[in-house]
Amino acid sequence: MNKNAMFRATALALVALSATYSIADDNVFKIGLILPMTGQQASTGRQIEAAARLYMAQNGDTVAGKKIQLIVKDDTTIPDVTKRLAQELVVNEKVNVLAGFGITPSALATAPIATQSKTPMVVMAAATSSITQASPYIVRTSFTLAQAAVAMGDWAPKNGIKKVVTLVSDYGPGIDAEKYFIERLLLNGGQVTESLRVPMRSPDFAPFLQKVRDQKPDALFVFVPSGAGAAVMKQFLERGMDKAGIKLIGTGDVTDDDQLNDMGDGALNVVTSHHYSAAHPSAMNKKFVEAFQKANKGMRPNFMAVGGYDGMRVIYEALRASKGLGAGDGLLASMKGQIFESPRGPMFIDSQTRDVVHNIYLRKVQRQDGHLHNVEFEAIKDVKDPGKHK
Ligand code: PHB
């Protein structure tokens, strides 16, 4: 090899090396945001990425002297991919924080990586109670199904709903929703005549709904993950279940703000329990919704967006409080115990459990300013995750 060729080969090798291993820069703070940008939960990825970018646009990209770099990766809604991406982000990119996690299996698959590398992991979407116990480095800004389901188990029997069939996605959050709803309903004198579980991937609700129609309960309690609500609503109405006197109730995932406005008048009066509605009547939320819609061609933020927005807040303020040191344990300590106002209302990160504590609202679908909204009519204050506070 002549001198020139050797020089070229070395230069090429260096380029290849720097493409794979970025050298840790003390003035940069990296957030590895792993989301389902494609696949079944793509709407969750779209909502959370938009919210994270909005937070940065509103709050700047320099905190405690460090430049914030957001690295977004698409896990295609496949947990093995989430885990591999997390590993690459930690080893190659040397990210300071892992964040995102659209579904429970993705969060659980990544937990050991957070633990081994001592990297704080902010769960912005996934909502099974047990997630925060999978690693001491996990902090959650989304919600838990147990929080929402208990509120419905209290409300329904006090409002004429005694006989219920439950229908949930057959994985972590669905099983939590079913368990905590039923436990509370029975305690309040209600009755569950059947518990149905549908596959998480590409479910066909039709045969299940037919079964429910034949049983004629007072209500059908539903949990399906964000993005699947419109399909349930459509088939529920097509079967004339509302006309047969069966009410649809559930956690707010089923009347997801991302889809609600397109569900049509059949969705009117559906009551759900949840931590966030785009119609939450606070000044902060009004500003948030307006800014979000302006930045995203009119897209309405849903509860996933809020989990992402608040997750960014927790990261920014932890970095500020730990004075830019950015090392895993210091950063984690500054995430615990944060109290602040979110677009959802007041919230805090319980320092013992690292889980979110917030209000759960009962909401009814109504038309407001020509659009379908989840209009809040009752608030249960400061709800901790019942999965850890028995
Ligand atoms: C979850 O997988 O934990 C999950 C996904 C979507 C939801 C709620 C929970 O709407």
Side-chain angles (χ1 to χ4, degrees):
M1 209 188 279
N2 68 27
K3 236 179 166 177
N4 235 340
M6 208 154 88
F7 177 76
R8 237 182 293 131
T10 314
L12 271 177
L14 275 175
V15 168
L17 198 71
S18 64
T20 337
Y21 299 96
S22 74
I23 293 141
D25 177 347
D26 279 350
N27 295 316
V28 176
F29 182 90
K30 293 185 182 178
I31 303 171
L33 183 62
I34 311 175
L35 293 169
M37 301 305 301
T38 54
Q40 183 171 307
Q41 297 307 117
S43 61
T44 294
R46 171 165 47 79
Q47 288 271 352
I48 294 183
E49 182 182 8
R53 295 206 185 282
L54 175 64
Y55 190 89
M56 291 181 73
Q58 291 175 331
N59 295 278
D61 64 356
T62 306
V63 179
K66 299 221 181 205
K67 183 108 177 137
I68 308 284
Q69 188 185 342
L70 188 69
I71 306 171
V72 180
K73 297 280 181 192
D74 175 13
D75 69 12
T76 68
T77 325
I78 297 173
D80 284 347
V81 177
T82 323
K83 183 176 184 179
R84 177 175 55 75
L85 290 171
Q87 199 136 26
E88 286 170 10
L89 285 167
V90 166
V91 174
N92 302 343
E93 292 285 353
K94 313 245 178 322
V95 293
N96 301 83
V97 182
L98 289 164
F101 310 103
I103 52 171
T104 290
S106 291
L108 292 177
T110 308
I113 293 172
T115 306
Q116 283 152 23
S117 64
K118 298 181 187 296
T119 308
M121 172 173 159
V122 179
V123 174
M124 297 169 159
T128 301
S129 281
S130 63
I131 289 174
T132 42
Q133 284 152 326
S135 167
Y137 286 86
I138 291 179
V139 167
R140 171 156 44 200
T141 59
S142 49
F143 74 111
T144 75
L145 267 306
Q147 289 173 323
V150 161
M152 186 47 80
D154 279 336
W155 182 83
K158 289 176 193 148
N159 288 275
I161 295 169
K162 299 283 185 205
K163 232 175 80 182
V164 182
V165 172
T166 60
L167 173 72
V168 301
S169 278
D170 191 7
Y171 78 117
I175 291 160
D176 274 2
E178 180 193 277
K179 174 172 177 233
Y180 287 93
F181 171 73
I182 292 179
E183 212 173 88
R184 220 27 113 86
L185 185 83
L186 298 183
L187 206 70
N188 289 308
Q191 191 191 343
V192 173
T193 52
E194 185 149 12
S195 291
L196 304 168
R197 294 181 181 178
V198 294
M200 190 247 171
R201 304 264 172 196
S202 318
D204 176 10
F205 301 109
F208 294 96
L209 291 176
Q210 193 54 49
K211 219 170 158 193
V212 178
R213 201 190 147 138
D214 296 342
Q215 289 195 18
K216 284 198 97 198
D218 297 327
L220 173 66
F221 170 90
V222 173
F223 165 79
V224 287
S226 180
V232 173
M233 186 69 78
K234 184 164 175 277
Q235 295 186 23
F236 184 86
L237 297 172
E238 272 172 8
R239 278 191 164 57
M241 298 184 59
D242 53 334
K243 301 212 167 59
I246 303 167
K247 291 199 166 70
L248 179 65
I249 56 174
T251 57
D253 310 73
V254 74
T255 53
D256 188 342
D257 273 309
D258 192 63
Q259 301 183 316
L260 177 60
N261 200 35
D262 297 323
M263 289 185 192
D265 282 356
L268 281 169
N269 300 319
V270 168
V271 175
T272 55
S273 53
H274 225 211
H275 60 290
Y276 179 70
S277 163
H280 179 65
S282 70
M284 184 191 191
N285 185 51
K286 283 193 179 126
K287 262 175 67 183
F288 168 71
V289 173
E290 246 176 63
F292 188 94
Q293 293 197 310
K294 193 161 170 230
N296 296 285
K297 301 192 178 95
M299 172 164 73
R300 184 194 287 183
N302 69 358
F303 59 98
M304 293 302 187
V306 167
Y309 192 76
D310 293 333
M312 290 298 284
R313 192 273 179 202
V314 166
I315 296 168
Y316 265 50
E317 292 310 316
L319 178 57
R320 217 186 304 280
S322 58
K323 305 209 165 29
L325 295 175
D329 287 304
L331 198 65
L332 179 74
S334 304
M335 289 181 178
K336 297 179 190 175
Q338 284 194 28
I339 304 180
F340 56 98
E341 189 190 357
S342 149
R344 73 187 81 182
M347 72 179 257
F348 70 93
I349 304 295
D350 184 324
S351 34
Q352 243 75 60
T353 62
R354 291 162 278 102
D355 219 336
V356 56
V357 180
H358 51 193
N359 299 344
I360 295 292
Y361 306 88
L362 286 150
R363 316 96 49 83
K364 185 187 264 190
V365 176
Q366 287 177 342
R367 203 168 269 290
Q368 263 185 359
D369 303 325
H371 299 284
L372 293 180
H373 275 288
N374 291 298
V375 178
E376 296 167 355
F377 61 88
E378 196 179 315
I380 302 134
K381 298 254 191 287
D382 300 333
V383 179
K384 291 187 170 192
D385 174 33
K388 294 177 211 74
H389 297 85
K390 280 257 161 189

